Every structure is written in C-alpha cells, then in structure tokens.
Amino acid sequence: MTATVQNPNWTKLQNGSDIRGVALPGIPDEPVNLTPDIAETLGKAFVRWLSQTLNKPAQDLTISLGRDSRLSGPDLMAATTSAISRLGCRVYDFGLASTPAMFMSTVSPDFNCDGAIMLTASHLPFNRNGFKFFTGEGGLGKPDISAILNFAADQDFPEPAEGGTIETRDFMGVYAEGLVKLVREGVNHPQQFEQPLKGLHIILDAGNGAGGFYCDRVLKPLGADTSGSQFLDPDGTFPNHVPNPENEAAMAAISEAVLAQNADFGIIFDTDVDRGAAVDPQGQELNRNRLIALISAVVLKEHPGSTVVTDSITSEGLTTFIEQDLKGVHHRFKRGYKNVINEAIRLNNEGQESWLAIETSGHGAMKENYFLDDGAYLITKLLVELAKLKLEGKALSDLIANLQEPQESSELRMKIGVEDFKDYGNQIIEALSQFADNHDGWQVVPKNYEGVRVSCQSPEEQGWFLLRLSLHDPVIPLNIESNVEGGVSQIAKTLLGFLKQFDKLDLSAFER
C-alpha cells in the first residue's frame, strides 16, 4: 500500500539544484516524504515549468525519464511518467539510465527532448531517492528547482489533455555508441581502429548502480578484456559497497580486484554515473587530487595554457603541478559541482579559456562535452590516453609522476547546534581569520572564495587548512593537509584551542 504524505513540506525536498527525499520506510527518524503521489505532482510541476520556460504548450513537449537502480525507482518513475503523459506530453521511458545520458537526450538529434528527468539520489542510502531535471541548456539551477516546488505547492499545472504517450526507448545504447566513437577516433590506431583497447585488461566496478552498461556496451566493443569486473547487476540494496568513488570501502574493492586480476586499469562509478574514479595497475587510487591532475594533464595537452577550475579543498601540490609542470592556470573556487561548472562557464564568457571544471568528489565537466558532469565521459577520456600511452610503452600514471602529494591529510566535520547555523558559522570563520592573521607562521591565503584558507609554514606544520560552511547542512567542515609527519595533529591542536570558545560547536571530531 502506498504511503500518503499529509501536507508535504515541498521546500524541504530541495537539495541545492536537485530534489531529494526519503522514498522508503525502515530507517528510524527518517519519515517517507517522496511517494508516488508526490512524484506525480513533481512531474506535473516540471511540465508547468518547462512549458512556461520554453513558451510551448504541454501537448507539444517531449520529456525523457530514466532512473538508477534504487528499489523505489520503478514505482516513482511509473507515477511520474503517467502524470506527465496525462497532460498531453510525449514521454520516453529509458528505464535504467545514467544522469549524464538523460541530459544528452535533450541534445541528441534523434531524440531532441525538450526536457529530461533522472530519478536518483546519487550515493545516498537505499531509502532515499530524488529528481534531477535537464533541458538542452543543462541541469536546472536552484531558482528553477524552487519554482518547480512552488508550482507543486500551489497545484499549478496545465490542464489534462488527450494525445499523451509513453514510449519505451533504448537511449543508453545511443549514449554508449558516442563513448565508443570517442575512443576509436581519439586513439586512431591504424591496425586496430575498431578495437583500440585490445590487449588491455580493464576491470569495472559499478557498485550495483546504473553503470554496468559501460562493460558490455563500451569496454567490450573496444576490445578490452573485462574479466574480473564486479557488481555490474543493478541492485538497489547496494549489497557489496556504497557506489561512491569517495568511499574507502568502494575504492578498496576496486583496488583489490585490479591487484587480484593483475589488470591494467580499474574503473568505478557512483550510482548514477555522473562521477567516476580509477585505479592503476599497482592498485593505487586515481581519485581526488590525483584524478584532477590526470585529467588536467590530458586537457592541458589539448588546450595549452588554459584554466582548470576546481573546488576549494584541492592541495597545494596540485596547484604547483598544474601551473609549473603543465603550464596551465589553477583557479581554486568553491565546493559544489554546480559552483565549479558555473565558474568555468563564467571565465569562458569573460575571455579566460577554461576547458575543465572538476571537484575532488569526482564530478568532472568538460567544455567539449557541454560542461556536463559525466563520470563515463571523464573515464573515457582517460581510456583514450591509456591506449595511446600503451603504444609508446608508457603508463597513465607517468602523466602525474611529478605530482607532489601531502604526507598527511584529514577532514573533520563539526556540527553547529543552533538554528541560525549559517550566521554562527560565519562568525567562527571571521574570528578564525583574525586569529590566523596574528598567529606566527600562519597566513590567510588570498583569492579564497569560501571560508578561510590558511597556509601554515612553521617547520612542524608545513601545510594548510580550510574551514568552511557546508552547502546545505548545519556542519562546518575542516580540511587539513601537511607535508611533514605529525603536521596535521599540530595544526589541529592549535585550532582546537581556538574553537573551544564557541560552545555551540560540537568538537568531538577532534578526539580522533
């Protein structure tokens, strides 16, 4: 029996530029607030928004829908597609799909969808689900999501109309063919053009999310040996590990598989494939700073001197690598993949060439690919380079041999125990900035776009820290890195002494 949400709090469903909620019961203190009824309303609200935005009647709209492997996905998608079709729209049901593919359906000449919806909650637990919306201009922003939720709250929809249809279509095959073409043309192997990955053993870990297609529809047609690939079947209980390239257990799983199979390369995706990471033949993780350095090396070879936009917590060694070794520009901006992407777009509009926007989380977007955060496209670009380097007797990791990595790093997340947490958090950041200005060996880093970043240059510290507010939660994260043993603890000790004056801040994270 379907749960009913009485008087839903529509604004609570907004999570930045996405909609996310609890779709299944079973977790204490997490009541269900994303039911099929709610999904119907959201679908109709999107039609209202899309019709108004494009100045196009609902009956003339074509909208595609896809989902990840979550248990709640089929019911929510069925409700949404039905609601949209009842307004007279043509609906394409793509079934299991990736988030990047849903956007691509809006720019595909064969589909030319006016809008697209992906049902996913990325790497969140099994009971969650959500909506991501797209037009041909890209993913919707925060104001767009707010407008859709306002339409939902006001029950402001187009009138029901005849002529709506629901058609089951295979778009993932079309999307995969584009990735295959990218590798073939990028490697351009004269003897094995069709199978440029022949002779390479590549293992895929899809984490039981939506990324399993990449094995049969991309890697195998290109000639790769994919034996040992794991967790390819969709399973919304995520029985093996969280599908998340930032998760330690997930990265350990793909690293162990690469070593056990003596493979040349390992690939891992998150649930909806908008993020990816990799592993080299030695089982070394190619994620976070290493992934950024690797794709930067590829991009800056293609576009010398251009700017790489990253989030705020990238290392000093990465800046040195991009600017001194690769002769590019590193523009360290804010956390949040939409922030990073929008900043790269802004720079291009102002005449500063930027071809890559990437977060340490694995969200990577390229100018050549609509600035779409597409984990499969990012990994495919690396496969092109992997195959080309193999012909030269080189390894992918050779590209980042000069990357200086910190000896120690840590992230602490401190909860703020007041309702107006943003104001309280900003008071802490401002006070810390003043404290750092007067502390020996510390210097506030200029051109910092969020929180306070401080360079710590005393011999026993040799590192930096960044204190910033979380994008959505009452949390103030602290990132610390050091190039010397014990440096993180030394920096943390001074920070703990300073932060003790703020009695609404939970400092228990420092205990470890």
Side-chain angles (χ1 to χ4, degrees), residues 206-404:
N208 303 110
F213 78 94
Y214 197 84
C215 186
D216 288 339
R217 290 189 161 189
V218 180
L219 295 175
K220 287 183 179 179
L222 291 168
D225 173 4
T226 61
S227 58
S229 291
Q230 57 192 19
F231 317 139
L232 304 182
D233 295 332
D235 184 340
T237 64
F238 307 125
N240 295 292
H241 61 69
V242 177
N244 181 6
E246 288 190 288
N247 180 267
E248 287 186 15
M251 292 308 300
I254 182 60
S255 295
E256 289 166 7
V258 167
L259 291 172
Q261 296 287 330
N262 195 29
D264 298 297
F265 196 59
I267 300 167
I268 186 167
F269 293 128
D270 75 341
T271 319
D272 60 327
V273 204
D274 60 358
R275 293 186 295 135
V279 171
D280 72 9
Q282 289 73 46
Q284 178 178 245
E285 298 175 8
L286 301 173
N287 60 356
R288 300 179 69 82
N289 285 293
R290 289 176 190 157
L291 181 65
I292 297 172
L294 202 52
I295 192 62
S296 294
V298 173
V299 169
L300 286 167
K301 185 165 62 174
E302 297 173 350
H303 307 283
S306 61
T307 297
V308 175
V309 181
T310 73
D311 61 344
S312 60
I313 62 170
T314 49
S315 70
E316 300 294 342
L318 180 66
T319 301
T320 300
F321 180 71
I322 290 174
E323 299 196 336
Q324 294 186 15
D325 290 79
L326 302 181
K327 308 303 180 187
V329 177
H330 182 200
H331 181 61
R332 190 188 288 119
F333 196 55
K334 300 177 182 177
R335 288 280 278 175
Y337 72 96
K338 289 289 286 186
N339 288 332
V340 173
I341 290 170
N342 289 340
E343 180 68 358
I345 293 171
R346 183 189 71 81
L347 292 177
N348 280 295
N349 290 339
E350 293 183 358
Q352 183 174 343
E353 190 180 57
S354 176
W355 286 82
L356 175 63
I358 184 166
E359 264 204 313
T360 48
S361 65
H363 280 287
M366 303 180 73
K367 183 181 179 182
E368 68 190 56
N369 190 41
Y370 304 94
F371 269 122
L372 174 66
D373 55 314
D374 184 342
Y377 190 91
L378 183 71
I379 292 298
T380 302
K381 289 286 288 188
L382 295 183
L383 288 181
V384 172
E385 204 64 25
L386 177 69
K388 289 163 70 175
L389 288 168
K390 181 175 182 288
L391 294 173
E392 301 173 16
K394 297 178 182 178
L396 200 57
S397 296
D398 292 343
L399 295 179
I400 57 172
N402 291 338
L403 176 66
Q404 300 169 1

